[in-house]
Amino acid sequence: MKNEDTLKRLKTITGHMGGVVRMVEEDAYCIDVIRQIQAVQAALNKVSAAILENHLNSCVTTAIRGEDPLERERVMREITDVFESATKV
Amino acid sequence: MKNEDTLKRLKTITGHMGGVVRMVEEDAYCIDVIRQIQAVQAALNKVSAAILENHLNSCVTTAIRGEDPLERERVMREITDVFESATKV
Amino acid sequence: MKNEDTLKRLKTITGHMGGVVRMVEEDAYCIDVIRQIQAVQAALNKVSAAILENHLNSCVTTAIRGEDPLERERVMREITDVFESATKV
Amino acid sequence: MKNEDTLKRLKTITGHMGGVVRMVEEDAYCIDVIRQIQAVQAALNKVSAAILENHLNSCVTTAIRGEDPLERERVMREITDVFESATKV
């Protein structure tokens, strides 16, 4: 199941975040903390892309093959929106 | 035509880039130059999202409604790829 | 203490990540999950910037006022590096 | 001169933007256009980082060694600001 893979990755990232919390508790060097935060963000990008891929293969495909033009427009607008936001985080 | 809008925006951004070149030629303050570069990048994000929206409404829709599963997979993979890259630029 | 503020924010973000895990466990809509991930990333950006600000006011200031040119160069290179990486996550 | 290098890179990027305009005029494949825009953005990130490095070695160093605490605070705040914006473009 694809969902299991997403869950596993998100749990790993949450664990990584716990590690960043400990680094700050132990007064780690600022730049090292920032680098770990950037690693967490890169991992979040990968999992977002995987979730989007699932979405394209399920909901979006159903909508595009469906008969409802408003629903088609809605799902496409959502993809454009998350794409535009992706560049802002 | 949608294409005309994309072209117009890209030409405006190219003009903006010319302005950044002039700022550096005239020894503008570094931080002001960086801010103008960031403004150019934000404008590029918007035009990318608009191009993606056109693409979803044309090529992707055609592929998803079509009979070729490999072609469907190819167009979806491309979208996931540009989404993932979007977060890295 | 500034550190306390950073810690508190990072713990809040870790809690937010736990919420994203639960959303996926409960089969939330893909686009909503992606949006929550993007919110986590935006919060991580803010905390990174705050950590950098502390760093500039402490280690970087000490290095720049110090007598060791290699150390000065090292801290500045680190800032340029995390700035460049910042745009890639 | 460092400035010459910045200028040269910015002019190359402006030329690259002209190439993207031509791609759209010639009706290139949407995804290829998006990829070229992302390449332009990556190049802009690199030149921004180089400009920041110069800035750290000149204005910021002068301010930190100077006697004016408000000026020191101002230059550091600017760096934190462009760092935070960097993640949003």
Side-chain angles (χ1 to χ4, degrees):
Chain A
M1 249 184 84
K2 290 257 178 67
N3 223 12
E4 288 308 311
D5 178 54
T6 299
L7 255 180
K8 201 178 145 189
R9 289 208 225 180
L10 286 171
K11 284 176 181 171
T12 303
I13 296 169
T14 309
H16 197 162
M17 273 303 300
V20 176
V21 168
R22 276 189 299 283
M23 283 178 81
V24 174
E25 282 172 343
E26 292 163 7
D27 257 325
Y29 185 54
C30 297
I31 296 292
D32 293 338
V33 177
I34 292 174
R35 281 183 184 139
Q36 286 308 311
I37 291 174
Q38 292 179 336
V40 166
Q41 291 177 302
L44 287 171
N45 284 336
K46 276 188 197 303
V47 78
S48 279
I51 294 171
L52 183 69
E53 193 165 19
N54 288 350
H55 182 60
L56 290 167
N57 285 307
S58 54
C59 304
V60 178
T61 297
T62 306
I64 287 179
R65 291 188 178 157
E67 299 300 318
D68 183 350
L70 286 178
E71 173 66 4
R72 275 205 299 278
E73 210 175 286
R74 197 186 60 77
V75 298
M76 287 184 182
R77 173 55 56 124
E78 280 178 345
I79 291 167
T80 314
D81 284 351
V82 295
F83 176 77
E84 205 181 327
S85 311
T87 57
K88 287 181 193 147
V89 294
Chain B
M1 251 184 84
K2 289 258 176 66
N3 224 11
E4 288 308 311
D5 178 55
T6 300
L7 254 180
K8 202 177 144 189
R9 289 207 224 181
L10 287 170
K11 284 176 182 172
T12 304
I13 296 169
T14 310
H16 197 162
M17 273 303 301
V20 175
V21 168
R22 276 189 298 283
M23 282 178 80
V24 174
E25 282 172 344
E26 291 162 9
D27 256 324
Y29 185 53
C30 297
I31 296 291
D32 292 338
V33 177
I34 292 175
R35 280 186 185 136
Q36 286 308 311
I37 291 175
Q38 292 179 335
V40 166
Q41 290 178 302
L44 288 171
N45 283 336
K46 275 188 199 303
V47 79
S48 279
I51 294 170
L52 183 69
E53 193 165 19
N54 288 351
H55 182 60
L56 290 166
N57 285 307
S58 54
C59 306
V60 178
T61 296
T62 306
I64 288 180
R65 291 188 179 157
E67 298 301 318
D68 183 349
L70 287 178
E71 173 65 4
R72 274 205 299 278
E73 211 175 286
R74 196 186 61 75
V75 297
M76 287 184 182
R77 173 55 56 122
E78 280 178 344
I79 291 167
T80 314
D81 284 350
V82 294
F83 176 77
E84 206 182 326
S85 312
T87 59
K88 287 182 195 146
V89 293
Chain C
M1 249 185 84
K2 291 256 177 70
N3 223 11
E4 289 308 312
D5 178 54
T6 299
L7 255 180
K8 203 178 143 189
R9 289 208 224 180
L10 287 170
K11 284 176 181 171
T12 304
I13 296 168
T14 310
H16 197 162
M17 274 302 301
V20 176
V21 168
R22 275 188 300 282
M23 283 177 80
V24 174
E25 283 173 341
E26 293 163 6
D27 257 324
Y29 185 54
C30 297
I31 296 292
D32 293 338
V33 177
I34 292 174
R35 280 183 184 139
Q36 286 307 312
I37 290 174
Q38 291 178 336
V40 166
Q41 290 177 303
L44 287 171
N45 283 336
K46 274 189 196 304
V47 78
S48 278
I51 294 171
L52 183 69
E53 193 165 20
N54 287 350
H55 182 60
L56 289 167
N57 285 306
S58 54
C59 306
V60 178
T61 298
T62 306
I64 288 179
R65 290 189 179 156
E67 298 301 319
D68 184 349
L70 287 178
E71 173 65 3
R72 274 204 300 277
E73 210 175 287
R74 196 185 61 77
V75 298
M76 288 184 182
R77 172 57 54 124
E78 279 178 345
I79 292 166
T80 314
D81 284 350
V82 294
F83 175 78
E84 205 180 328
S85 311
T87 58
K88 286 181 195 147
V89 293
Chain D
M1 250 185 84
K2 289 256 177 67
N3 224 11
E4 289 308 312
D5 178 55
T6 299
L7 256 181
K8 202 178 144 189
R9 290 208 223 180
L10 287 171
K11 284 176 182 172
T12 304
I13 296 169
T14 310
H16 197 162
M17 273 303 301
V20 176
V21 168
R22 274 187 300 282
M23 282 178 81
V24 174
E25 283 172 342
E26 292 162 8
D27 256 324
Y29 186 53
C30 297
I31 296 291
D32 292 338
V33 177
I34 292 175
R35 281 184 183 137
Q36 287 308 311
I37 290 176
Q38 292 179 335
V40 166
Q41 289 178 302
L44 287 171
N45 283 336
K46 275 188 197 303
V47 79
S48 278
I51 294 171
L52 183 69
E53 193 165 20
N54 288 351
H55 182 60
L56 290 167
N57 285 307
S58 54
C59 305
V60 178
T61 297
T62 306
I64 287 180
R65 289 188 179 157
E67 299 300 319
D68 183 349
L70 287 178
E71 173 66 4
R72 275 204 298 278
E73 211 176 285
R74 197 185 61 75
V75 297
M76 288 184 182
R77 172 57 54 124
E78 280 178 343
I79 291 166
T80 314
D81 284 350
V82 293
F83 175 78
E84 207 182 324
S85 311
T87 59
K88 287 181 194 146
V89 291

